[in-house]
Amino acid sequence: MEKVIILGTGPAGLTAALYTARANLEPLVIEGMEPGGQLTTTTEVENYPGFVDGIMGPELMDVMRRQAARFGARYQHGTVERATFSPGQHRIELEGGEHVEAATVIIATGARAKYIGLESEQKLIGRGVTSCATCDGAFYRNQPIAVVGGGDSAMEEALFLTRFTSDITLIHRRDQFRASKIMADRVLQHDKITIRWNTVVEEVLGVDQQEVTGLRVRNVQTDQLDEIAIKGLFVAIGHQPNTAPFAGQLDMDDIGYIRAQNTRTNVEGVFAAGDVQDSVYRQAITAAGSGCMAALEAERYLEAQGQ
Ligand code: NAP
């Protein structure tokens, strides 16, 4: 039986791997279906402390991975299909039938941004289509851009983007925002944001699938089609935490985020770090920080168990 199994290889999982490896716990890290996590789908990361000139997302994850490996972290390909948690012996079943067992589990399976689901959108993700204004807003200085969504995330993204450009179109499929009134009012009153109500994106227009040039949109009430020239599309229609394999086993909120107290879940020896338990900050650095916390909590737990 393993002392520590870490599920996920984003900043939370790899930081937990680094700390538990340095504590001689020889963590086994299950890589998940997207090794490196969400950062591998972004280009340049300019807001991770320590890199004056920024660093490419995939490179940052590669460095973190190698750093943890240097101290003994072991990596295994695999996607979690199901988990059965029982204090002292947690069982993780992987796709393909294999299973692993451990005294402690650190869940760092992350979350994924929801996208609209258009083929044209998928092809341009990372090339003008993004789901993170904090990460990518600065690339669109003085450029026309659009934000899709009507919740607090969309309001927050649109307001944040006003720092960079005064040409923001906010596209929402209904005639009323879902967002809290205070956030919605800020957007409604902002002179850099134009709102297109009752509108959906039908197609993201691009050049050779390398850059975004515009959107084809449709008014859902009149069916009228229109084109909007933009350089960047920020999709802000919510996130989905990757917690399906743990449903019914751990306390979660209505959306599926794990409820954790200082990374401790409601099951002894099971910890959660990163976006899987954080719907608020969702940054690489906060994920890494909570990965460190989870590792220290796991270490203390094992020590208390005499392991
Ligand atoms: P959300 O509240 O679920 O809102 C998602 C929005 O996207 C809705 O307006 C929805 O439209 C729209 N949408 C969903 N699927 C769509 C699709 N396929 N095409 C077009 N539009 C689509 O998600 P969220 O904004 O990410 O917020 C999640 C939670 O975090 C909320 O509880 C929110 O209050 C909280 N949050 C808080 C803050 C803050 O307080 N600063 C910031 C961010 C998030 P409909 O309205 O028509 O359903």
Side-chain angles (χ1 to χ4, degrees), residues 2 23 41 57 62 74 79 88 120 124 137-138 147 151 171 180 218 235 247-248 278 285 296 307:
E2 302 288 341
T41 62
D62 182 53
R74 293 163 296 140
T79 306
S120 55
L124 288 158
V147 177
I171 299 169
S180 54
R218 180 171 60 85
V235 182
D278 170 21
I285 187 65
L296 296 177
Q307 296 193 43

Side-chain angles (χ1 to χ4, degrees), residues 116 148-154 156 172-174 178 183 236-238:
I116 304 165
V148 177
D152 279 326
S153 291
E156 202 171 59
H172 184 38
R173 62 185 178 183
R174 292 189 294 135
R178 175 179 296 278
M183 297 285 279
I237 60 174

Side-chain angles (χ1 to χ4, degrees), residues 258-281:
I258 296 173
R259 289 190 215 273
Q261 182 73 40
N262 287 338
T263 73
R264 293 187 301 271
T265 71
N266 63 311
V267 177
E268 250 183 55
V270 179
F271 307 89
D275 287 12
V276 78
Q277 50 87 60
D278 170 21
S279 62
V280 179
Y281 301 106

Side-chain angles (χ1 to χ4, degrees), residues 3-4 9 26 65 67 78 80 99 116 132 138 142 151-152 162 190 219 286 290 307:
K3 290 188 192 117
V4 184
T9 43
E26 300 166 328
R65 183 192 164 88
Q67 188 179 2
V80 181
H99 78 272
I116 304 165
C132 180
N142 302 321
D152 279 326
T162 59
H190 211 294
N219 183 302
T286 49
S290 69
Q307 296 193 43

